[in-house]
């Protein structure tokens, strides 16, 4: 990314960590994604534009003959990150229909491990790959998302005494109503806190604490029907809702849980707050 970092011992990308990342974490994450969604297959090699992923070395064959039998190419690095950041990712370029088909991801070596925290590291990688596939504020607001044009997928409203931004596409609204048990919901809220990499590009953690696409990941993140619905509403993915994980946080909590401040029994005092 153009800067210099002073490495500590746990920042070293050892051969053991390389094996864990390539042979354990990535395959487990991709298996979950492949089981949950599909794309319309490309009919020819995926040719990556030269310089598509800034800062990443792309093999010359990828920019000439292309990558055979591929629908998405992800370039992965393992360099130190700052603060609490475990990993980051984004897409590099899209096909003619607007679907991201190449992306880049960095996973901090200090967080690469395989043991009691398997679920956390796997879901962290799922989280980042979904960012690279288009789960980001800029992509949702672009004309590549769905068919409604820039900005059509989101809207703002006043809720809990403040202005919130929601994803208001059809499947997201339907899944939000079903999950929270609230027939009057108009959308699913987007995170409004955190830095530029958090706010605007994740689900609102207050409402969807355990969702794999919440802004701060924990030890029990899940693939939700809401996340699958957003990918479906992008117009580029076919999803299998039966593969979504069961989640307790917010399930059937009712309208007050979403619409009211957390200061009453109806809105979750004594249960969630």
């Amino acid at each position: 990314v153009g800067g210099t970092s002073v490495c500590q011992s746990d920042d070293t990308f050892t051969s053991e960590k390389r094996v864990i990342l390539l042979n354990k974490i990535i395959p487990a994450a991709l298996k979950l994604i492949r089981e949950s969604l599909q794309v319309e297959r490309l009919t020819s090699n995926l040719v990556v534009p030269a310089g598509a992923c800034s800062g990443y070395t792309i093999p010359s064959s990828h920019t000439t003959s292309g990558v055979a039998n591929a629908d998405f190419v992800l370039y992965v690095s393992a360099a130190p990150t700052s603060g609490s950041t475990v990993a980051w990712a984004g897409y590099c370029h899209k096909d003619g229909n607007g679907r991201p088909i190449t992306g880049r991801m960095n996973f901090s070596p200090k967080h690469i491990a395989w043991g009691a925290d398997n679920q956390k590291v796997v879901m962290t990688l799922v989280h980042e790959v979904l960012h690279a596939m288009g789960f980001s504020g800029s992509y949702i607001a672009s004309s590549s998302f769905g068919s409604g044009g820039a900005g059509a997928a989101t809207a703002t409203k006043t809720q809990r005494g403040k202005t919130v931004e929601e994803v208001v596409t059809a499947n997201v609204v339907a899944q939000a109503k079903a999950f929270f048990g609230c027939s009057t919901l108009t959308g699913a809220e987007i995170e409004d806190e955190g830095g530029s990499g958090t706010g605007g590009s994740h689900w609102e953690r207050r409402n969807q604490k355990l969702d794999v696409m919440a802004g701060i990941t924990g030890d029990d993140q899940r693939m939700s029907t809401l996340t699958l619905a957003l990918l479906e509403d992008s117009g580029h993915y076919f999803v299998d809702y039966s593969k979504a994980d069961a989640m307790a946080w917010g399930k059937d909590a009712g309208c007050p849980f979403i619409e009211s401040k957390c200061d009453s029994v109806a809105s979750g005092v004594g249960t969630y707050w």
Side-chain angles (χ1 to χ4, degrees), residues 176-258:
K177 288 179 176 179
F179 179 80
F180 293 110
C182 176
S183 63
T184 59
L185 289 183
T186 55
E189 285 181 52
I190 299 172
E191 182 61 68
D192 61 352
E193 296 185 42
S196 59
T198 302
S201 291
H202 298 87
W203 294 128
E204 170 58 59
R205 189 169 185 256
R206 175 206 184 275
N207 302 342
Q208 292 164 241
K209 181 173 181 283
L210 299 182
D211 198 293
V212 67
M213 296 312 294
I216 301 174
T217 58
D219 296 328
D220 195 24
Q221 304 309 116
R222 308 292 184 92
M223 178 71 82
S224 72
T225 56
L226 277 168
T227 290
L228 292 178
L230 185 140
L231 293 168
E232 182 176 32
D233 283 340
S234 75
H236 303 301
Y237 303 103
F238 308 98
V239 306
D240 184 349
Y241 288 107
S242 71
K243 299 299 183 181
D245 297 312
M247 292 196 302
W249 185 270
K251 175 64 174 172
D252 297 323
C255 299
F257 175 75
I258 298 293

Side-chain angles (χ1 to χ4, degrees), residues 73-94:
V73 175
L74 183 70
Y75 297 102
V76 181
S77 59
T81 55
S82 60
S84 60
T85 300
V86 175
W88 53 262
Y91 68 88
C92 300
H93 96 286
K94 302 170 287 187

Side-chain angles (χ1 to χ4, degrees), residues 117-128:
D117 291 335
N118 288 359
Q119 173 75 3
K120 182 175 182 178
V121 294
V122 170
M123 295 309 286
T124 296
L125 200 140
V126 170
H127 176 109
E128 299 305 337

Side-chain angles (χ1 to χ4, degrees), residues 13-33:
F13 189 43
T14 63
S15 58
E16 290 80 8
K17 289 184 177 183
R18 181 183 178 89
V19 169
I20 290 171
L21 181 61
L22 290 178
N23 296 346
K24 295 183 181 295
I25 300 175
I26 290 177
L30 295 187
K31 179 177 184 293
L32 190 155
I33 293 171

